[in-house]
Amino acid sequence: MQGTQPQQRDDATYPPTERTVPTRSPGRASYDKELVHAILDEGYVCHLGFVRDGAPVVLPTLYARAGERLYVHGSTGSRPLRAARQADPGLQVCLTVTHVDGLVLARSAFHHSINYRSVVVHGTAYDVTDAEEKRQALDALVDQVVPGRAADSRPADKKELAATAVIRLDLDEVSAKLRTGGVNDEPEDLALPHWAGVVPLRKGYGTPLADPGLAPGTALPGYLTAL
Amino acid sequence: MQGTQPQQRDDATYPPTERTVPTRSPGRASYDKELVHAILDEGYVCHLGFVRDGAPVVLPTLYARAGERLYVHGSTGSRPLRAARQADPGLQVCLTVTHVDGLVLARSAFHHSINYRSVVVHGTAYDVTDAEEKRQALDALVDQVVPGRAADSRPADKKELAATAVIRLDLDEVSAKLRTGGVNDEPEDLALPHWAGVVPLRKGYGTPLADPGLAPGTALPGYLTAL
């Protein structure tokens, strides 16, 4: 059928499911792929949840997005990666990425809040066994933290590749949730003498601290000065 | 026996358990209460994990520490809070707090890392039913975000209290994990021409944006200028 049909285009949204539709503040939820991608691309640390012996476990770990796939890596001996390798068919996970943008201080304690953007991904994580996909995922994990860095470092050798496990989680059951804007006080509270407003949060980078043993003549690369 | 024995003092550490001893990098784990408290007190957003229909769920939410207790709040209709109220005896959770301090760029892709400090708490979360404990927890939740703010806002009224659920998680099964310091490249990589070092991350506050409807004469409070 190739060539005879118009190219299949991805929908612009992820289909909502029972567990990606929030029970409260549904107006803060979004399934827009562009928004989800933007939130994911701005971060590099996620919180990965899985079930172990019936109990939840939540661990911070690095991630990378490549198209509609997320990758997480770790030692082949680490618990979630071992579990993903051993579980059939894969390991049920929930991967969450959160950016906090501001503190919302209302006149009433009840309406205090934060401005944030988060993405929650539900799904099954699979061990990546294809050597080329694994290499690309490892590059993506480095470039997610510092774009351009993977090409400016020594790639993993055979022994390092064998010691590293990579798991993949497809972006299928996904939602974003966000709060933006100012305070939402009750009308009867507006005359109260408490300051109200939003305190924006700022994130930034400090001056890079070079390793004392740099090879002579090694300059700070452009992708770091551009951060 | 009161008065006849020396006052029982808390141990300085949390007892390690099978699930708080990491399978890798055990040297990065700590059970020191002071360190755990310091990491918890520096944050206000945690990632709360629980199991729903056999699958993990990880949601970002505000938390507060009061001594050896953590509190999380939300709408009485929200899923984890409803589950904690309905589950007997409480809801099994994993609550994780993470601070990212720096990007560790090694000469080899394999030794790339981040400097971070995290706390992982395992345990059972219970619905707070005592009215006074609930009020104190709600104050603590506001003060965790902006110390001093709870006293400078209108407390929750009866209706708001009824709409808000608070759950408590005791600090019993707790570990901190951290990475600090510079790059750990292999000796044979030191002469490679790649820049290596640590890029510190900075967090800060922007200029507070006052609500346009502030009562006349309402000044920016000292606890905000001190941020």
Side-chain angles (χ1 to χ4, degrees), chain A residues 23-25 110, chain B residues 73-82 85 162-166:
Chain A
T23 51
R24 56 186 293 254
S25 306
F110 185 75
Chain B
H73 76 324
S75 156
T76 49
S78 79
R79 281 174 182 148
L81 296 166
R82 227 168 42 198
R85 181 167 289 200
T164 306
V166 174

Side-chain angles (χ1 to χ4, degrees), chain A residues 4 37 49 52 76 79 90 94 97-98 110 125-126 131 161 181 191 198 225:
Chain A
T4 64
H37 291 178
R52 183 167 172 257
T76 49
R79 283 174 182 148
C94 179
V97 172
T98 306
F110 185 75
Y126 297 95
L161 281 171
V198 175
T225 54

